Amino acid sequence: MKKKIKQINKTQVRKRYDAGETVYLLPCLCNVDGVWVTPYPLNKEHAVWWGDSFDSDVISFTNYNCCSELGKYPIFFIETP
């Protein structure tokens, strides 16, 4: 079964991240169902970036994953039932 996702804005995703939910980031020019780049899961408990807040995690993702070919900023997603 394929997961259903919904794109949301940065304010909404920050609230869900702070509540402990898993959110997904993807460079803006990439396709969600793409073969080469997939949405990156991010949550408070298993953050792999060295930041201590949502903003620093998003900045780290942007620095490492966003470029002129993939998109210069991230877009945000959540899973829907």
Side-chain angles (χ1 to χ4, degrees):
M1 179 180 220
K2 195 171 184 178
K3 293 181 183 178
K4 294 182 181 181
I5 60 170
K6 176 183 175 185
Q7 184 174 348
I8 59 175
N9 65 33
K10 192 172 184 177
T11 303
Q12 294 169 328
V13 81
R14 180 181 283 118
K15 288 179 185 177
R16 291 178 182 256
Y17 175 86
D18 289 339
E21 293 183 40
T22 299
V23 296
Y24 297 88
L25 288 76
L26 186 69
C28 64
L29 297 179
C30 295
N31 187 356
V32 175
D33 296 328
V35 175
W36 302 109
V37 180
T38 58
Y40 178 79
L42 181 67
N43 63 32
K44 250 183 177 178
E45 295 177 15
H46 302 100
V48 295
W49 301 107
W50 294 278
D52 57 355
S53 70
F54 172 77
D55 290 323
S56 61
D57 289 341
V58 171
I59 289 170
S60 295
F61 175 85
T62 304
N63 288 339
Y64 287 106
N65 296 289
C66 296
C67 64
S68 59
E69 291 178 356
L70 299 177
K72 294 194 177 203
Y73 59 90
I75 51 177
F76 307 98
F77 298 93
I78 56 167
E79 285 187 39
T80 58

